[in-house]
Amino acid sequence: MYKHIIFSSLLLLFFSCKEVKSKDQEKNKQQEVLAQTVVVKKDKGENAEIVFCLDATGSMSGLIGTAKEKIWDIVSDLAQSNEIDTLKMGMVFYRDRGDAFVTKSIALTTDLDEVYADLLEMNADGGGDSPESVNQALHEAVSDMQWSTDKIYKTIFVVGDCPPHMDYRDDVSYTKSCLKAAEKGIIINTIKLGNSCTEAIPHFKKMASCTNGSFLRLDQDATDYVTETPYDDEINTVSKEIDESRLYYGKQEERTSNMAKKEKSMEVYDKASATANSARASYKTSKSGEKSWMGTKEIVKDYKEGKIAIEDIEEDELPSELKGQTIAQKKSYVNGLITKRDTNIVKLKELTKKRKEYIKRQLEEKTDADSLSFSKEVLKIMKKQSKK
């Protein structure tokens, strides 16, 4: 009798423990799946690295002009639509041997103002014969740029109208560069401009196909829409005030370097068009744009985010505006800049939103809105590829 009761109790306890263990295992399994899901979302962090290889010979004045006008629209739309966390951009301009230069490169960087300032200095010139140094440009874009080793969206756009020189013995053929790009996870996209130099088409197609990229044909001038809005002037005024408020601290060489970058950014307001500067401001209000806007060791941003204490910064590492002041005066000055900057950023976001809505309405009213445009086609490719 007692043995039977004990046996029954043990049996009940065994199945109870088994059930608890089974529930615990299921719970642990669910937690593991959830943890994996979180990790996937975290690892997916949308980053992008883009290099434009642009033909800068005399026939490419339309392309260079379009790049100056529309590059900010491209990166702004990409950053905002795909929620890019960090965006880097670089450029390689190419001509040919015997011209003023064969290639000129701008390194991959998050400081897009630096890239754009150099782009504004570029003009189309040289050339004359058909083939150009496309091989050299692609080789430098693939091999010399500091590409991330992470599995993120990396792409090169080769844009021009003429084929590569295949007769330079000391050249690196684009077929080799394509294989190296594939190894690095870089997608090569090509855009053939104009109706001349049809012999370039098979080369441009082959460049794109080896990395599953896209090949496009557009008109010679890389025509695009430029829409002026009633908000452009105010956007530029507010954006400029924000840029002017940048103050840098740190060692002398750090401050000098950062102030040089600031000066370069300020020059863009005078050198670029109002519409391009508006698009530039729109990019800076995106997640990736805000992240890189102020650069490093910017005292207003770092103080607001609690990364530094004013009293802990050595006097000789302060920006000139704060030297010789009391701690209270320094804090008051920086807090004043924080308040003004925050107000301007809110205002800028409202204005760029209105600008975007205005442009959308204008494009919807155009009868030829579906025709090919450089920025629209490039953006379409980027969005599709980066989502993958």
Side-chain angles (χ1 to χ4, degrees), residues 234-245 281 285 290 293-294 336-352:
E234 192 174 2
I235 285 173
N236 291 327
T237 299
V238 175
S239 178
K240 192 173 183 178
E241 284 184 7
I242 296 170
D243 268 325
E244 284 174 339
S245 71
T285 61
E290 283 190 330
W293 190 349
M294 301 302 159
L337 290 178
I338 290 172
T339 301
K340 187 175 181 180
R341 183 183 291 180
D342 287 348
T343 301
N344 277 333
I345 287 175
V346 170
K347 190 175 182 180
L348 186 61
K349 287 182 177 180
E350 291 173 352
L351 287 167
T352 54

Side-chain angles (χ1 to χ4, degrees), residues 246-264 296-297 316-320 323:
R246 289 156 61 176
L247 293 181
Y248 294 97
Y249 67 99
K251 297 186 184 300
Q252 179 64 48
E253 57 269 25
E254 291 175 314
R255 298 201 311 278
T256 301
S257 174
N258 282 322
M259 285 305 295
K261 289 180 180 181
K262 176 184 174 180
E263 287 171 11
K264 215 168 187 179
T296 58
K297 292 213 164 184
D316 62 351
E317 293 194 353
L318 285 168
S320 58
K323 287 182 178 179

